[in-house]
Amino acid sequence: MIDTKGWFALGCYLISDLDHTLLNEQGRLSSRTILTVVKSQLPLMLASARMPIQMLDLINQLQLTGPQTALNGAVIFQPAVHEFRVLEQHAIPDQTAQKLQNLVKTEFPELNFTWMDAESWHVSKLDQQIETEIFYTGIQPLFDVDQRPLKKRAADFVDY
């Protein structure tokens, strides 16, 4: 057992990514990883590209109680069992995001433009990469990039 006395008071954390670091190839925590993290009692902060809601189950399995980082550092949040509280967030301004969306749509119409904020996941179309993300995280996209409800649920989409 590592002596972690004072780590929280000093603001010291071990920071780890999720995908292909703590998670296996199926996007899951192994029982060995869970046991190791829980027994170590290290103050672990996850830093992920995922949305906070996509991280909650993993945070609960690892019994983490401190602040966590989502969306590549754009959101810092305090997890609870089935919810989270945003402590800090730094989003791209709406006007900038709209310009970027329009540029991608015009110059690269074949690309699947996707983005996430602290609460929702937006995609321009359902494709195999989106299906893979749904498989790993269990989260469904809510709207396409024009804020229209998706016509087809991702679970109904098959394009192999």
Side-chain angles (χ1 to χ4, degrees):
M1 177 87 59
I2 298 171
D3 180 15
T4 60
K5 261 190 171 172
W7 274 52
F8 284 112
L10 292 173
C12 296
Y13 286 89
L14 176 64
I15 300 172
S16 178
D17 187 23
L18 283 171
D19 296 298
H20 305 288
T21 304
L22 290 180
L23 302 181
N24 61 25
E25 293 300 317
Q26 292 74 41
R28 308 287 184 254
L29 291 165
S30 71
S31 55
R32 181 178 179 185
T33 298
I34 294 168
L35 183 63
T36 301
V37 169
V38 171
K39 283 181 84 174
S40 75
Q41 297 183 346
L42 286 171
L44 178 62
M45 176 185 277
L46 302 179
S48 178
R50 293 176 180 222
M51 297 167 49
I53 195 74
Q54 293 171 310
M55 298 169 65
L56 284 181
D57 185 53
L58 303 168
I59 291 166
N60 291 332
Q61 289 179 61
L62 295 170
Q63 300 177 22
L64 303 178
T65 58
Q68 305 298 319
T69 304
L71 299 173
N72 291 321
V75 175
I76 299 172
F77 68 99
Q78 182 64 49
V81 177
H82 298 293
E83 59 189 15
F84 61 92
R85 180 172 49 92
V86 173
L87 301 174
E88 191 80 33
Q89 64 181 332
H90 301 280
I92 295 172
D94 288 343
Q95 190 174 29
T96 303
Q98 188 64 49
K99 286 179 183 178
L100 179 59
Q101 175 188 333
N102 291 338
L103 175 68
V104 170
K105 197 182 223 180
T106 301
E107 299 295 323
F108 308 99
E110 72 282 359
L111 290 181
N112 189 356
F113 188 71
T114 179
W115 84 92
M116 297 175 176
D117 57 37
E119 303 287 336
S120 56
W121 177 23
H122 309 266
V123 300
S124 58
K125 62 184 176 182
L126 298 170
D127 61 17
Q128 188 57 50
Q129 288 180 318
I130 299 302
E131 283 294 309
T132 301
E133 185 73 13
I134 292 167
F135 172 77
Y136 282 125
T137 66
I139 302 298
Q140 297 280 336
L142 299 179
F143 299 98
D144 72 8
V145 294
D146 295 314
Q147 296 296 308
R148 297 176 302 222
L150 289 168
K151 293 177 176 57
K152 191 176 187 185
R153 284 192 51 234
D156 302 328
F157 178 77
V158 179
D159 183 33
Y160 300 97

